[in-house]
Amino acid sequence: MLIGVAGSGKTTIGRLLAAELEWPFFDGDDFHPQANIEKMQRGIPLADADRIPWLDALNRLIQGVTGEGRNAVIACSALKQAYRDRLKAGAADVRFVHLRGDAPLMQRRLEARPDHFMKAGMLPSQFDALEEPVDALIVESAEEPKAIVAQIRRAFRLHSPPSSHADTAPGAGR
């Protein structure tokens, strides 16, 4: 699972990694309830209570993937340890990759995607909520996407198909 604040490159890296491994990619943004999307579109940061249905939907996805013995790459902010615990509850072999970056870089990236529901003005709230993970591979998001993907693959010994079915994922699966 690729985690980090908005603008850290979770979707970009996730799509590249999944394509190289021929695994499905799931963007956590697609699992937000409509009420969350509307709140963020208005520039209002989500509260913990807002995130529970979203995290539970992603946990069901992860349990489904791991329960079938499959691999996937998932992008999700997962800013707090409690969120990460909720995401991996009852699931096997969930690995986290924290795409870490500084606020100015994330701000520039968010400003470059004005049509996204996560507004650049909410970035400070993400950094305020962020609890640095202790159980994750830390990767600097300022690196080139292909270099980040290569670093993740090396760290987790992820090989190109067809052997990927025996590997473990930084997303979900075995």
Side-chain angles (χ1 to χ4, degrees):
M1 177 168 288
L2 299 165
I3 65 173
V5 299
S8 61
K10 298 178 297 289
T11 300
T12 299
I13 302 306
R15 286 182 176 147
L16 282 171
L17 180 61
E20 283 191 16
L21 297 172
E22 296 182 9
W23 294 352
F25 171 73
F26 299 95
D27 192 329
D29 287 347
D30 297 336
F31 292 79
H32 272 294
Q34 187 61 34
N36 285 5
I37 293 170
E38 290 169 2
K39 193 171 185 177
M40 288 184 282
Q41 284 173 331
R42 293 191 310 270
I44 302 169
L46 298 179
D48 287 348
D50 298 320
R51 289 184 173 93
I52 290 173
W54 173 60
L55 294 168
D56 288 348
L58 286 168
N59 175 264
R60 287 188 296 276
L61 168 69
I62 292 166
Q63 286 188 37
V65 168
T66 61
E68 294 171 2
R70 295 184 300 128
N71 296 305
V73 177
I74 302 170
C76 172
S77 55
L79 299 173
K80 295 183 180 183
Q81 185 62 48
Y83 303 166
R84 295 185 290 274
D85 291 344
R86 192 173 194 111
L87 286 165
K88 67 182 182 178
D93 243 356
V94 177
R95 303 233 182 138
F96 294 104
V97 176
H98 179 209
L99 298 174
R100 181 173 60 188
D102 64 25
L105 174 61
M106 301 306 110
Q107 187 73 30
R108 285 192 304 276
R109 288 178 176 177
L110 290 177
E111 289 169 353
R113 59 177 209 190
D115 295 335
H116 194 275
F117 59 79
M118 176 63 187
K119 302 302 178 198
M122 293 189 298
L123 184 61
S125 71
Q126 293 232 312
F127 276 103
D128 289 345
L130 178 63
E131 295 172 2
E132 293 283 336
V134 296
D135 59 345
L137 171 66
I138 307 297
V139 178
E140 295 302 323
S141 66
E143 299 292 325
E144 288 298 316
K146 288 199 176 278
I148 293 171
V149 168
Q151 184 178 350
I152 294 167
R153 290 184 66 179
R154 276 191 309 273
F156 291 119
R157 296 185 175 104
L158 300 172
H159 306 289
S160 297
S163 63
S164 66
H165 297 288
D167 294 329
T168 56
R174 293 182 46 96

